[in-house]
Amino acid sequence: MEIETYSEKETYGLGQLLGQKARPGQVYSLNGDLGTGKTVLTQGMAAGLGISGPVNSPTFTILQIYEEGRMPFYHFDVYRIGDPEEMEEIGYEDFFYGQGVSMVEWGELIRELMPPETIWISIEKDLEKGFDYRKIRIDGIVTALDETGAIE
């Protein structure tokens, strides 16, 4: 599925909708160049899960855990992972196969560790279509679209 957003608010809103529809045990991989809106989409997802506090990319800590929503939210940033063993040291399987939702920024870098049912999201910019334009591709999720193209 491809979705186009034309503002940060729309990208956030898509994340929020994904968070509202998320189920325990889901794992999302979020990929895109720096500055494409991965953190904005993740912040929206956190809001959709009922998390009201600040959500930032855990670039240097690798994992940030949020437990205040309707289910735990595990936000990984694996950009700096040099070896899959580092993920094992974190105990990633407890999160991926637990009762929360996992969002893994740069998940393609650890593809061999990602569960088969991972929902893959990629975000791309196209400056010819506008500074805030994003093309967001979601693979591995079954959903319905309403007549406006919004996820139901």
Side-chain angles (χ1 to χ4, degrees):
M1 158 189 340
E2 277 188 14
I3 299 167
E4 296 178 315
T5 63
Y6 293 87
S7 69
E8 190 174 296
K9 182 179 178 182
E10 287 182 11
T11 301
Y12 181 94
L14 174 61
Q16 193 170 20
L17 198 49
L18 290 171
Q20 291 166 353
K21 301 294 182 182
R23 295 184 315 274
Q26 285 183 320
V27 178
Y28 292 79
S29 172
L30 185 54
N31 303 287
D33 291 336
L34 293 171
T36 55
K38 293 184 298 296
T39 300
V40 170
L41 188 111
T42 301
Q43 289 168 337
M45 187 168 204
L49 288 166
I51 297 164
S52 59
V55 174
N56 297 303
S57 185
T59 302
F60 295 103
T61 59
I62 300 174
L63 171 63
Q64 188 70 16
I65 300 171
Y66 303 92
E67 298 189 69
E68 67 192 68
R70 65 181 173 86
M71 72 182 91
F73 182 49
Y74 311 120
H75 182 196
F76 293 83
D77 184 331
V78 300
Y79 186 76
R80 299 189 186 288
I81 292 287
D83 185 325
E85 284 184 18
E86 292 177 61
M87 288 297 289
E88 291 174 18
E89 291 171 11
I90 295 169
Y92 78 95
E93 289 177 323
D94 293 338
F95 301 105
F96 284 9
Y97 300 102
Q99 291 303 306
V101 175
S102 296
M103 174 64 80
V104 184
E105 291 190 41
W106 305 99
E108 78 240 0
L109 298 175
I110 59 163
R111 186 174 280 272
E112 67 273 14
L113 300 178
M114 300 297 286
E117 57 280 342
T118 296
I119 299 164
W120 297 90
I121 302 173
S122 63
I123 303 177
E124 297 175 11
K125 290 196 265 190
D126 184 344
L127 295 177
E128 291 182 12
K129 292 188 176 187
F131 181 77
D132 291 323
Y133 170 85
R134 300 296 184 264
K135 180 169 68 173
I136 302 169
R137 181 174 175 86
I138 304 174
D139 293 308
I141 190 170
V142 178
T143 187
L145 294 177
D146 70 15
E147 61 278 355
T148 67
I151 299 174
E152 290 185 359

